[in-house]
Amino acid sequence: MPAPADSFSQTATDKAGRKAVGRFAPSPSGRMHLGNVYTAVMSWLSARSRGGRWILRIEDLDPQRSKPEYARMIEEDLLWLGLEWDEGGLENYGPNGPYLQSLRSEVYAEGLRRLEEAGLTYRCRCRRADILATQAPHESDGRVIYKGTCRPPRLGGTAEPFPGDIPAATRLYVPDRTITFTDRLCGEQSVNLARHCGDFILRRADGAWAYQLAVVMDDALMGVTEVVRGNDLLLSAAQQLYLYELLGFPAPEFAHLPLICNEQGVRLSKRDSAMSMEALRATLTPSQLLGRVARLAGLQPDDSPTTLSELIGSYGRDENYGQLPVLSPLP
């Protein structure tokens, strides 16, 4: 495992020679809504316009919220729109499976083992309620930065060892170091790991794998070269780039899309039934829904019905390689 460098830069030009591989990685915790569809379409268009493959990965790490019936609905809705995938899905089709995170525990355990052997992890018994009780949110989105209460002396902390039978999460030590990268949509980004992220969890106290480790292991081993997703995950890119480097994997390009909001200006969620695929499919045809997404994406001036073939024609231009259009929220 390579030692961390003083700085790390990620640009779209670093991927020369790697054929484009995109992915859509929904959580099967409810029916997709317009925001999920818009992310899926943009991810599909980005990969297809570069002559690449598109993977469907089911991120069902949370057994309490994830349900197989929702995963089946996701597949049905994607196929209804014409968004066919080359690998993945519930059938686990492809050479890099399984494509359900609930079946990939051994993969994540190997990643954790490598980080543990590098001496960069430690056990943490702090609960979220404990952390919230001792400090105010640092980020505008309410994110609380962990202050290293359980960090041991070998990693610059002062915590005393505690019995091994006490339930504990596993955290990754992060240095006071800035990660810089170029997002294809948001531009140059600079994130200090210690100030903006803090030591983050790799595995929860209940044994569940955390998102950051799982997504890096999955994208790396599935050969993903570009990650198109909502900008609520923009800060996570820095944490993931740090993990890519520690684990010795080549990192993908990132493109973080603006979030679609409802009429109240609140980002869409699976509780917004009026924008759920159930409601959208009851009132729109696939071409009409694609027209709405295309207008939101700036690919056409209005909601006129369109097809994926037509959208590739307006999206995938050689002179626009690596670029994503500026998106706007619902009016």
Side-chain angles (χ1 to χ4, degrees), residues 56 75 85 87-100 103:
L56 173 62
E75 290 193 343
W85 51 94
E87 297 178 31
L90 290 172
E91 293 185 358
N92 279 306
Y93 175 78
N96 300 307
Y99 295 89
L100 281 74
L103 302 178

Side-chain angles (χ1 to χ4, degrees), residues 70-312:
Y70 290 138
R72 286 191 291 270
M73 289 179 184
I74 288 170
E75 290 193 343
E76 292 170 2
D77 289 336
L78 292 174
L79 293 174
W80 180 78
L81 282 164
L83 295 170
E84 297 184 351
W85 51 94
D86 301 290
E87 297 178 31
L90 290 172
E91 293 185 358
N92 279 306
Y93 175 78
N96 300 307
Y99 295 89
L100 281 74
Q101 287 188 329
S102 59
L103 302 178
R104 295 179 63 81
S105 184
E106 292 183 5
V107 172
Y108 309 143
E110 172 61 18
L112 179 60
R113 182 191 64 79
R114 295 173 63 184
L115 296 168
E116 288 175 337
E117 289 182 351
L120 296 174
T121 67
Y122 61 92
R123 297 174 68 238
C124 174
R125 57 180 173 179
C126 297
R127 299 172 303 172
R128 180 170 176 79
D130 299 329
I131 299 171
L132 289 172
T134 59
Q135 63 189 92
H138 180 274
E139 297 293 325
S140 59
D141 63 358
R143 180 188 293 255
V144 174
I145 309 304
Y146 183 65
K147 297 301 184 182
T149 304
C150 288
R151 185 187 287 183
R154 63 181 173 82
L155 292 173
T158 60
E160 296 292 333
F162 55 89
D165 58 353
I166 294 178
T170 302
R171 285 190 185 268
L172 178 69
Y173 162 80
V174 302
D176 183 7
R177 174 180 159 207
T178 297
I179 300 287
T180 61
F181 65 100
T182 302
D183 186 88
R184 281 166 52 191
L185 188 57
C186 300
E188 295 293 326
Q189 302 294 312
S190 182
V191 178
N192 182 277
L193 289 171
R195 293 197 304 271
H196 299 114
C197 302
D199 298 351
F200 56 91
I201 290 176
L202 301 174
R203 194 172 195 179
R204 297 186 336 205
D206 63 2
W209 295 101
Y211 170 76
Q212 307 293 7
L213 177 62
V215 74
V216 167
M217 294 297 293
D218 289 346
D219 283 344
L221 297 179
M222 293 178 186
V224 171
T225 66
E226 59 175 45
V227 173
V228 178
R229 61 188 181 188
N231 65 12
D232 55 325
L233 293 170
L234 182 59
L235 186 61
S236 288
Q239 296 166 289
Q240 290 162 21
L241 286 169
Y242 181 54
L243 278 170
Y244 276 109
E245 183 184 346
L246 293 178
L247 293 166
F249 294 131
E253 301 171 14
F254 288 99
H256 287 87
L257 308 169
L259 302 179
I260 295 181
C261 298
N262 60 23
E263 294 178 352
Q264 289 73 44
V266 179
R267 59 176 285 196
L268 290 183
S269 73
K270 291 173 181 175
R271 294 185 295 272
D272 289 294
S273 58
M275 291 295 173
S276 73
M277 279 299 288
E278 181 178 10
L280 294 171
R281 287 183 61 167
T283 57
L284 300 172
T285 65
S287 61
Q288 288 172 328
L289 181 51
L290 289 173
R292 178 173 293 188
V293 170
R295 192 261 301 170
L296 291 169
L299 295 176
Q300 62 184 38
D302 53 34
D303 288 353
S304 300
T306 189
T307 65
L308 290 170
S309 297
E310 291 171 335
L311 290 178
I312 284 184

Side-chain angles (χ1 to χ4, degrees), residues 1-12:
M1 181 180 301
D6 291 336
S7 63
F8 181 83
S9 295
Q10 169 66 28
T11 67

